[in-house]
Amino acid sequence: MRRKNYTDLKEEVWDTGLCSGCGACVAMCPADAIIFRKDGEFSGPAHTGYCKDVQDGVPCGACYAACPRTKDQHTHHMAATGVGECLRVLSARSGFDVRKRQSGGAVTAILASALEEGTIDGIVTIAADPWTHEPGAILITDREVLIAKAGSRYAWWVPLLSALKTAVVTQKKERLAIIGVPCAISAARIIQSSEHPFLKPYGRAIRLTIGLFCTETFDYQHLIDKKIKGEIGIDSWDIERLDVRGKLIVTKQNGTKIEIPLQELEECVRPGCHVCGDLTAVDADISAGAIGSAEGFTTLLIRTPTGEGFVNHAVERGALLIEGETNMKIIERFAGDKAKRLAK
């Protein structure tokens, strides 16, 4: 059987609008030949023109092997819907003050506890410029930096996993946590389980995955520059926070809230989101979101023994407080609504 390489990835995923923009192909390419480039309406992966596999016949195919949207991953991708399997479902909040928390600060609490304990040595996540709100993938290794940058950036599309190369190759991290939206978590799980020789070093370095509930992700230029600033008249520096709760809620620095129906944001949504039916990140060790818990709390879906262990350690250390009830019916309803996309 012919091994597949970037030409197959381009044909099956990039050229068909299926790309989720997770960034796995960028990180896995050993020749650094794949980049993300602004081309037209949306950013997307692009090849610099040299592939060792194609040009020199050197066995590779790492980019194809890591992608969650290829034909080889089609069956799993289509089945990744609903709430998924869970060991436990909890409502929780941080046991310490997290000023910029998105809901209950539970994810920050789990990760801060793990960093302090040494069970992880880095976190691949997304942070936004506090003035412009422009997001980017980063590696965090310090507890205080983590807390300062708290507040999920799930509303933004960012090639999150591109930061894996910095974490593993440049900084030699060996116990990483990845926090991201479902598509990025699915790619991380593929990398973890792969026997591909170029993927295995990254897979060994991933210790924990935390998936964020996600309806869709937005392109920064479309949402901030064109919609919020261009049409509504709110400057980026005047935005305190952005929340997605069945609608986009823009909170200004003075506390004023503006609600925008998601139907009005279709042009801001990354095209690859339209073929994703996974709301709750079914491939994660822990999934987290505001849906299903009271305001000020985070819903946690603990899916694996690894996830259970990290939550238990955070509770034992007083970093995470388990409180309140979860409403599984509302989570199932939102998950079902997103899964309907795949039937269209």
Side-chain angles (χ1 to χ4, degrees):
M1 180 184 294
R2 183 184 71 85
R3 63 176 175 267
K4 295 188 176 182
N5 54 43
Y6 103 87
T7 58
D8 300 281
L9 183 64
K10 182 177 184 298
E11 179 183 340
E12 295 178 21
V13 182
W14 300 356
D15 293 347
T16 57
L18 295 179
C19 177
S20 68
C22 70
C25 57
V26 176
M28 296 302 108
C29 179
D32 293 329
I34 299 176
I35 59 174
F36 265 84
R37 181 169 64 197
K38 186 73 175 178
D39 184 16
E41 285 294 295
F42 288 91
S43 298
H47 201 269
T48 60
Y50 172 69
C51 174
K52 290 184 177 181
D53 196 328
V54 175
Q55 269 79 27
D56 301 332
V58 177
C60 186
C63 58
Y64 187 93
C67 179
R69 296 285 175 88
T70 63
K71 290 180 179 178
D72 287 358
Q73 295 293 334
H74 179 76
T75 300
H76 175 76
H77 171 61
M78 294 299 288
T81 61
V83 174
E85 296 183 4
C86 304
L87 301 178
R88 278 200 296 163
V89 179
L90 305 171
S91 176
R93 65 180 178 87
S94 173
F96 54 88
D97 183 47
V98 182
R99 189 176 70 85
K100 295 182 180 180
R101 69 176 186 262
Q102 194 74 14
S103 50
V107 171
T108 299
I110 294 167
L111 295 172
S113 174
L115 273 177
E116 197 170 51
E117 192 177 12
T119 49
I120 59 174
D121 59 5
I123 301 159
V124 174
T125 186
I126 295 170
D129 184 300
W131 182 260
T132 65
H133 286 269
E134 185 164 6
I138 63 168
L139 171 68
I140 295 176
T141 59
D142 181 83
R143 180 182 183 275
E144 297 309 313
V145 173
L146 170 70
I147 295 171
K149 293 187 178 296
S152 82
R153 311 298 175 189
Y154 62 84
W156 297 125
W157 164 77
V158 168
L160 170 71
L161 296 179
S162 60
L164 264 179
K165 183 163 285 184
T166 298
V168 177
V169 177
T170 306
Q171 298 204 20
K172 311 299 182 186
K173 299 303 179 184
E174 298 177 336
R175 304 182 302 279
L176 291 169
I178 295 176
I179 173 171
V181 293
C183 54
I185 296 301
S186 291
R189 185 64 73 199
I190 290 169
I191 293 167
Q192 273 187 305
S193 60
S194 177
E195 290 298 317
H196 193 292
F198 292 154
L199 270 60
K200 288 180 74 173
Y202 295 95
R204 287 194 297 265
I206 301 172
R207 178 165 286 185
L208 174 69
T209 57
I210 299 182
L212 302 173
F213 292 3
C214 176
T215 52
E216 56 267 305
T217 60
F218 302 107
D219 178 80
Y220 173 82
Q221 301 295 335
H222 283 69
L223 183 60
I224 294 293
D225 291 347
K226 294 184 179 180
K227 189 70 179 182
I228 295 179
K229 184 177 181 179
E231 296 183 20
I232 301 176
I234 301 174
D235 286 307
S236 60
W237 51 262
D238 197 26
I239 299 171
E240 171 64 24
R241 64 189 292 153
L242 297 166
D243 292 314
V244 179
R245 296 171 182 261
K247 55 196 168 188
L248 179 67
I249 304 172
V250 183
T251 303
K252 297 176 65 175
Q253 293 290 342
N254 63 6
T256 303
K257 294 185 178 182
I258 294 90
E259 298 182 356
I260 308 173
L262 293 182
Q263 297 94 312
E264 295 182 13
L265 301 175
E266 279 298 309
E267 292 184 355
C268 306
V269 176
R270 184 167 181 82
C273 292
H274 296 303
V275 295
C276 174
D278 185 5
L279 174 84
T280 63
V282 298
D283 288 323
D285 293 308
I286 303 168
S287 296
I291 300 172
S293 287
E295 187 170 352
F297 292 84
T298 305
T299 299
L300 297 177
L301 308 181
I302 305 174
R303 302 188 184 278
T304 67
T306 295
E308 182 88 70
F310 274 90
V311 168
N312 289 344
H313 277 228
V315 171
E316 291 166 4
R317 294 168 61 85
L320 185 69
L321 305 177
I322 308 301
E323 298 176 355
E325 301 293 327
T326 55
N327 183 341
M328 285 303 296
K329 288 186 178 180
I330 192 169
I331 299 173
E332 290 168 354
R333 178 166 65 83
F334 273 90
D337 287 345
K338 185 170 183 181
K340 291 176 183 176
R341 295 178 184 177
L342 300 183
K344 294 180 179 180

